[in-house]
Amino acid sequence: MDADPEVPAPPMSRAGPGVVSLFAGMVMAPLAWALQMLIGYGLAAHACYPTDIALSAPLWPHLRAIVGTVSVLLWILLAVGFFIAWRNWQSTRAHAADWAEYSVQSGAGRSRFMATCGLWVSALFAIVQLFTSMGILWIPGCGA
């Protein structure tokens, strides 16, 4: 049997997003949604049920404004995560072009995969956070 001829590996640069940037792109959108759930629903629940008995009106008269402000801040966090994921994906674009068979050995494929996952996770959690925000802001509180 003849051995396959050696194909020289291309010089792969390790330039691209770092590990922290790749993880930030993957984690910031789910973190924004989790904080939306914890803070938004926590504030709404405490405003209507501070004890065992439900109130007819929230404890704080501007509860919707408070929850809305928290929601806007967390949308900004999600947008920052999406921007980081987009930038990671753009900076790993060269890794997908040539010499794909060597990208696994060089670690470039891993960066491209994580950047792509971060982009998809950010987009999907933006949809989830949209519905969560709508639920928190539009559903009447305290038995109304």
Side-chain angles (χ1 to χ4, degrees):
M1 285 198 136
D2 294 327
D4 289 332
E6 288 282 328
V7 177
M12 295 294 278
S13 69
R14 297 290 290 173
V19 173
V20 173
S21 179
L22 289 168
F23 276 110
M26 289 180 65
V27 171
M28 285 180 77
L31 177 67
W33 173 74
L35 289 174
Q36 173 81 14
M37 294 290 289
L38 290 171
I39 296 170
Y41 283 119
L43 284 173
H46 183 70
C48 293
Y49 284 92
T51 61
D52 294 342
I53 302 169
L55 301 176
S56 60
L59 280 176
W60 310 296
H62 303 293
L63 178 63
R64 288 203 191 272
I66 294 168
V67 173
T69 303
V70 169
S71 183
V72 167
L73 292 174
L74 293 173
W75 270 103
I76 292 170
L77 178 66
L78 187 139
V80 168
F82 187 83
F83 174 74
I84 291 171
W86 178 262
R87 191 186 65 209
N88 290 343
W89 187 72
Q90 290 291 333
S91 67
T92 59
R93 182 177 267 178
H95 296 174
D98 295 328
W99 299 94
E101 61 271 8
Y102 294 105
S103 64
V104 173
Q105 289 88 358
S106 68
R110 180 176 47 246
S111 298
R112 180 71 173 174
F113 176 76
M114 288 181 70
T116 305
C117 284
L119 197 60
W120 277 103
V121 165
S122 295
L124 293 174
F125 271 94
I127 296 169
V128 172
Q129 189 162 346
L130 174 67
F131 287 112
T132 303
S133 298
M134 288 178 3
I136 288 175
L137 295 175
W138 287 351
I139 295 175
C142 299

